[in-house]
Amino acid sequence: VIINPESLNPGRRYFLMISCIIPRPIAWAGTVNEDGSNNLAPFSFFNGMSSTPPVVAIGFAPHEDKGQKDTLRNVLRTGEIAVSIPSRDLADKVSATSEDLTYGADEFVACELTPYFGGLVNAPLVREARVALECSLLRHIEFGDAGSSMVLAEIRAFHLDDRLIDNRGTVNPNSLQPLARLGGGFFTTLGEVFKPGQN
Ligand SMILES: Cc1cc2nc3c(=O)[nH]c(=O)nc-3n(C[C@H](O)[C@H](O)[C@H](O)COP(=O)(O)O)c2cc1C
């Protein structure tokens, strides 16, 4: 079957797309609200885009009532965003932080998570995450006329749990056990880890 995306209504297009492009890593994005309180929300339209400079991308759907989601509004105002990478054991909290709280309500408090600041960027990292990235806004790119957009942000500091690092200075995937998103409300984590050509 070949499907023209324009033949689908926005909901069906979304559900098809998020079931095709899987698994998607999750950026647990921490930002600071206008009143100085912390904001935290998960985003799975997320990936690394470049390593020199080290750049990540996050995609934002519009907010039904407010136009912009709080995370987007905050990063555009402050230029600062923290991206924590949740592990499998944090799945329930990741899901809980996607609830639509009123602006200024702190998901760290509501979901019993511990915020901390790395010192370079004024945006809260999640202490419970094993990898967390301090980032600053590079560019905001808008698509179409429905209010969707993407933020490109540069990593200013990697915060890594020492126990994850292997002798080549990279993160051991089995220690990280990253949480990832599928379609249909499902999540996953790593299954088989292999190199092509090696059994
Ligand atoms: C696992 C997961 C992934 C999500 N990915 C996205 C995403 O990529 N883009 C998006 O706009 N919303 C995404 N959401 C929904 C946002 O987390 C949700 O709208 C949240 O309330 C936004 O919070 P904010 O208004 O504080 O930014 C996702 C939700 C979950 C649970």
Side-chain angles (χ1 to χ4, degrees):
V1 61
I2 299 174
I3 298 172
N4 177 346
E6 289 177 14
S7 71
L8 303 175
N9 69 39
R12 291 191 77 91
R13 193 161 48 231
Y14 167 72
F15 288 120
L16 176 63
M17 184 150 171
I18 66 163
S19 67
C20 288
I21 302 173
I22 56 166
R24 294 183 307 287
I26 296 172
W28 220 357
T31 53
V32 172
N33 294 317
E34 225 160 332
D35 65 2
S37 61
N38 293 325
N39 190 79
L40 182 69
F43 294 89
S44 71
F45 281 4
F46 162 64
N47 223 309
M49 291 293 127
S50 149
S51 55
T52 306
V55 171
V56 297
I58 300 177
F60 294 90
H63 188 279
E64 282 174 13
D65 312 319
K66 297 185 278 190
Q68 284 179 345
K69 296 196 176 182
D70 296 342
T71 303
L72 178 61
R73 178 169 151 193
N74 289 339
V75 67
L76 295 181
R77 191 187 71 260
T78 64
E80 299 182 310
I81 184 165
V83 173
S84 297
I85 307 292
S87 298
R88 165 73 183 87
D89 53 310
L90 293 166
D92 291 345
K93 298 213 176 208
V94 167
S95 191
T97 56
S98 75
E99 294 301 318
D100 202 9
L101 305 183
T102 52
Y103 188 76
D106 184 335
E107 285 87 1
F108 283 94
V109 175
C111 301
E112 296 180 339
L113 289 160
T114 318
Y116 75 102
F117 289 80
L120 280 172
V121 159
N122 187 37
L125 304 150
V126 179
R127 175 67 72 201
E128 288 79 1
R130 297 170 204 170
V131 169
L133 312 169
E134 289 185 80
C135 303
S136 47
L137 176 66
L138 266 188
R139 206 162 295 168
H140 179 223
I141 301 167
E142 295 175 274
F143 328 110
D145 52 15
S148 299
S149 68
M150 173 176 79
V151 156
L152 295 174
E154 181 166 348
I155 301 171
R156 308 278 308 284
F158 291 84
H159 293 247
L160 309 173
D161 181 328
D162 294 342
R163 289 165 296 187
L164 297 184
I165 308 295
D166 63 19
N167 53 18
R168 292 178 309 144
T170 59
V171 167
N172 181 309
N174 291 316
S175 306
L176 181 58
Q177 281 298 308
L179 184 66
R181 190 102 197 265
L182 305 171
F186 290 104
F187 288 77
T188 189
T189 186
L190 295 182
E192 187 187 4
V193 176
F194 68 97
K195 282 189 178 166
Q198 295 177 12
N199 290 322

